[in-house]
């Protein structure tokens, strides 16, 4: 039996929110208060990601002063260029940007600015695709993306458009090797915090180590449930988790395996059919309907 994904890496899991706004753009609270809110809620880290737009003077906010022994911060931004097929500005999350990241260039495209963020060392994600009608064809253009937001809490509670699953599965089926992050996208204008987060496996609670782990896919996402281990044993996946009502392995198209019940904490799922689709991703659902999502297990790298 082989432990896979983030679960065989050295270090421990750190809880963080990757998508957060302050008065640096359109959030309600100043950066110090935003950091305090998450620190006091027991998070290990946040990324402050204000809108990188001329109206806000292209902020990449220095939050180093708000770090403590048990809490750290990662500089970042939500970058934008014109325009999607619906005429919307693009929204691309960049976590781990340098503070002097150059402003948007005249005529810059979404793939170009995403690539520039990635070259600068950032973890790059395509965010809240359902909220503004982003298509799979458009998301496919962002070659530099590491991830898709599988859940955006603000989009869910404000507009019922927080779910990125359909677009994510379409891109996986096309062969894109993307991970899946859950975020708050908190602005603090309503109850938009603490709804979705990442659990990042890293050797230390250090901004550089956390960004490196995110880029490597060494994390899972959650609204509450814990994924404690995923192991591969031939054509069986064994998942250990906090008490769950459902544990699923989802693959290409309709390929899936699941176990439903009460207080499930260790589940073995057959994956022979999923192997033919190339990958499986794990979803754990608790009694309250809250979910946790693993990143994909690509079978050609887990032989």
């Amino acid at each position: 039996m082989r432990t896979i994904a983030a679960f065989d890496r050295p270090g421990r899991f750190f809880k963080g929110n990757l998508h957060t706004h302050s008065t640096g753009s359109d959030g309600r609270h100043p950066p110090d208060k935003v950091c305090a809110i998450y620190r006091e809620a027991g998070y290990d880290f946040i990324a402050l990601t204000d809108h990188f737009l001329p109206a806000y003077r292209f902020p990449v906010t220095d939050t180093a002063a708000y770090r403590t022994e048990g809490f750290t911060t990662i500089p970042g931004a939500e970058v934008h260029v014109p325009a999607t097929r619906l005429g919307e500005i693009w929204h691309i999350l960049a976590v781990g940007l340098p503070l002097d990241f150059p402003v948007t260039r005249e005529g810059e495209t979404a793939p170009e600015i995403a690539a520039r963020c990635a070259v600068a060392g950032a973890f790059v994600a395509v965010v809240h695709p359902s909220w503004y009608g982003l298509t799979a064809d458009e998301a496919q253009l962002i070659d530099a993306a590491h991830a898709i937001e599988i859940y955006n809490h603000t989009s869910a509670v404000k507009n019922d458009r927080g779910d990125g699953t359909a677009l994510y599965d379409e891109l996986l089926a096309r062969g894109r090797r993307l991970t899946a992050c859950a975020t708050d996208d908190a602005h603090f204008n309503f109850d938009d915090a603490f709804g979705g987060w990442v659990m990042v496996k890293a050797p230390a609670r250090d901004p550089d180590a956390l960004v490196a782990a995110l880029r490597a896919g060494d994390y899972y996402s959650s609204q509450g449930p814990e994924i404690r281990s995923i192991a591969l044993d031939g054509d069986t996946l064994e998942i250990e988790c906090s008490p769950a009502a459902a544990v699923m392995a989802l693959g290409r198209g309709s390929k899936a395996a699941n176990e439903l019940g009460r207080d499930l904490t260790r589940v073995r799922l057959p994956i022979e059919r999923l192997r033919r689709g190339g990958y499986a991703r794990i979803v754990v659902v608790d009694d309250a309907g809250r979910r946790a999502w693993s990143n994909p297990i690509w079978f050609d790298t887990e032989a």
Side-chain angles (χ1 to χ4, degrees):
M1 184 177 295
R2 179 180 177 184
T3 303
I4 57 174
F7 304 93
D8 67 348
R9 306 292 190 257
R12 52 157 284 202
F13 281 105
F14 296 99
K15 180 179 181 179
N17 180 39
L18 299 178
H19 192 167
T20 327
H21 296 277
S22 75
T23 51
S25 59
D26 60 348
R28 180 180 180 184
H29 299 312
D32 61 335
K33 185 170 181 178
V34 172
C35 292
I37 287 169
Y38 278 94
R39 184 179 67 246
E40 291 165 8
Y43 281 62
D44 293 294
F45 72 94
I46 67 160
L48 190 62
T49 54
D50 278 312
H51 295 286
F52 196 71
L53 287 167
Y56 305 116
R57 301 183 180 180
F58 296 103
V60 180
T61 303
D62 187 354
T63 53
Y66 314 129
R67 297 170 183 163
T68 67
E69 183 177 349
F71 177 81
T72 197
T73 62
I74 304 173
E78 188 172 357
V79 300
H80 306 278
V81 293
T84 71
R85 67 183 179 91
L86 296 180
E88 306 267 1
I89 61 169
W90 281 82
H91 294 245
I92 297 169
L93 187 70
V95 174
L97 286 178
L99 298 176
D100 61 351
F101 184 70
V103 303
T104 307
R105 300 167 180 164
E106 182 76 22
E108 194 163 25
T109 67
E112 288 169 348
I113 196 168
R116 197 155 59 84
C117 291
V119 169
F123 168 78
V124 176
V126 176
V127 295
H128 47 56
S130 297
W131 173 72
Y132 72 135
L134 196 72
T135 67
D137 286 343
E138 288 173 312
Q140 182 81 5
L141 297 173
I142 311 302
D143 293 334
H146 300 97
I148 300 289
E149 268 187 353
I150 198 165
Y151 178 74
N152 179 292
H153 191 54
T154 287
S155 296
V157 300
K158 190 175 181 181
N159 299 299
D160 194 31
R161 291 177 173 174
D163 187 357
T165 302
L167 181 138
Y168 183 52
D169 280 336
E170 171 66 20
L171 292 174
L172 293 179
R174 294 182 184 191
R176 286 294 302 273
R177 301 206 172 192
L178 294 161
T179 59
C181 59
T183 72
D184 278 343
D185 194 3
H187 293 69
F188 306 99
N189 296 316
F190 52 93
D191 188 13
D192 61 357
F194 317 134
W197 55 85
V198 290
M199 299 295 296
V200 183
K201 188 75 171 293
R205 190 192 289 103
D206 170 80
D208 290 341
L210 291 166
V211 172
L214 286 163
R215 286 170 60 105
D218 294 341
Y219 71 95
Y220 71 91
S221 295
S222 185
Q223 298 170 309
E226 297 177 21
I227 303 177
R228 294 171 178 159
S229 177
I230 302 173
L232 183 63
D233 184 10
D235 282 328
T236 302
L237 278 174
E238 181 172 287
I239 301 99
E240 295 184 21
C241 58
S242 56
V247 180
M248 314 168 195
L250 306 179
R252 190 174 189 276
S254 65
K255 295 177 175 64
N258 61 67
E259 183 170 333
L260 312 179
R262 294 180 61 86
D263 295 328
L264 303 172
T265 58
R266 179 174 294 182
V267 169
R268 289 177 62 83
L269 298 176
I271 56 163
E272 183 177 1
R273 289 185 64 247
L274 280 75
R275 277 190 180 280
R276 295 197 291 274
Y279 70 91
R281 61 182 186 86
I282 304 303
V283 182
V284 175
V285 187
D286 69 12
D287 286 339
R290 299 176 302 178
R291 284 159 168 74
W293 303 269
S294 81
N295 289 322
I297 301 147
W298 294 94
F299 295 121
D300 61 358
T301 64
E302 297 294 343

